[in-house]
Amino acid sequence: DTEVTQTPKHLVMGMTNKKSLKCEQHMGHRAMYWYKQKAKKPPELMFVYSYEKLSINESVPSRFSPECPNSSLLNLHLHALQPEDSALYLCASSPPSGGPPTDTQYFGPGTRLTVL
Amino acid sequence: GQNIDQPTEMTATEGAIVQINCTYQTSGFNGLFWYQQHAGEAPTFLSYNVLDGLEEKGRFSSFLSRSKGYSYLLLKELQMKDSASYLCAVWGFKTIFGAGTRLFVKA
């Protein structure tokens, strides 16, 4: 299995809803990432998990809450979002040492989120 | 801090060669990556450079000069499907993506 999967592909939610994004990889990667990407802009790093521990939080608002239940799964819990949070949310993972550089990132297809 | 500069857009002809430049400033450097991103899709890893010099991978090559803070991605024998954004990403304490260069390949 050489891919990162994300569900759902599309999500529309109201500002009072609670929803979750899911990311999964079975490549034995030990680092996983959440990015937010707006149209015609580069991906913006939100969170990094390394060996299931949160290692980087880029001062993301608390309405975004990451969770890493195990080394293959990464969730992003969403609550009370704003319309400006509408974006493509990308998950990525990167391999342990011994091959390409350990920050080489393999991206999932993303979840396109619309907040009404 | 980190700063990455790439041209915003480039146009090239099918079958030609195009070079996409990237200059960067970073307080720490572990490597530089190039990603391809088609509109509406996720970025795809293309290549990496850790040491100075040229890395070749089929129609794609990437060059790095750490002393100059400079890299380029060379695409040969351009095909229409190469029309995409090309993102330069610098790995320091963390990886930061440049704004990307949108490449248009015309017939």
Side-chain angles (χ1 to χ4, degrees):
Chain A
D1 193 346
T2 58
E3 64 175 349
V4 178
T5 59
Q6 287 186 246
T7 54
K9 284 189 173 22
H10 300 274
L11 178 62
V12 179
M13 61 187 288
M15 290 190 284
T16 57
N17 291 160
K18 280 186 184 181
K19 296 285 184 186
S20 296
L21 309 184
K22 178 183 277 192
C23 174
E24 197 163 357
Q25 58 86 15
H26 295 286
M27 296 181 280
H29 289 181
R30 287 292 178 257
M32 295 184 77
Y33 311 73
W34 280 116
Y35 286 88
K36 172 183 176 180
Q37 187 175 28
K38 294 276 215 178
K40 298 186 180 179
K41 297 287 186 186
E44 286 176 50
L45 184 64
M46 300 174 72
F47 302 104
V48 181
Y49 274 82
S50 180
Y51 291 88
E52 300 165 48
K53 298 255 187 298
L54 184 63
S55 59
I56 295 178
N57 176 343
E58 290 288 281
S59 303
V60 178
S62 59
R63 58 186 185 268
F64 295 92
S65 173
E67 180 199 15
C68 189
N70 59 56
S71 59
S72 301
L73 278 176
L74 185 66
N75 298 321
L76 186 63
H77 303 299
L78 314 172
H79 174 52
L81 294 194
Q82 304 296 311
E84 59 264 29
D85 296 322
S86 298
L88 181 68
Y89 287 83
L90 293 161
C91 173
S93 67
S94 57
S97 58
T102 54
D103 221 54
T104 306
Q105 294 178 35
Y106 298 88
F107 286 85
T111 293
R112 189 158 299 282
L113 174 67
T114 303
V115 182
L116 300 175
Chain B
Q2 289 174 277
N3 187 53
I4 302 172
D5 286 308
Q6 305 179 234
T8 306
E9 285 185 3
M10 297 182 72
T11 301
T13 305
E14 197 175 15
I17 299 173
V18 72
Q19 177 174 313
I20 302 174
N21 295 326
C22 170
T23 56
Y24 64 89
Q25 293 159 336
T26 180
S27 52
F29 182 84
N30 293 306
L32 186 143
F33 303 94
W34 284 95
Y35 289 85
Q36 179 192 61
Q37 186 172 26
H38 286 99
E41 297 182 12
T44 304
F45 166 68
L46 286 178
S47 70
Y48 69 87
N49 294 75
V50 176
L51 302 175
D52 291 352
L54 187 69
E55 294 286 340
E56 297 188 76
K57 207 172 175 183
R59 294 191 298 116
F60 297 83
S61 304
S62 56
F63 171 83
L64 175 67
S65 168
R66 288 172 296 170
S67 61
K68 293 189 167 79
Y70 168 69
S71 173
Y72 67 73
L73 179 70
L74 196 70
L75 291 78
K76 302 175 193 170
E77 300 168 18
L78 278 174
Q79 302 174 10
M80 300 297 284
K81 67 178 182 179
D82 297 328
S83 293
S85 285
Y86 291 85
L87 304 166
C88 170
V90 176
W91 178 26
F93 166 65
K94 58 191 176 187
T95 295
I96 300 294
F97 286 80
T101 298
R102 266 177 288 153
L103 175 66
F104 299 95
V105 179
K106 56 183 185 178

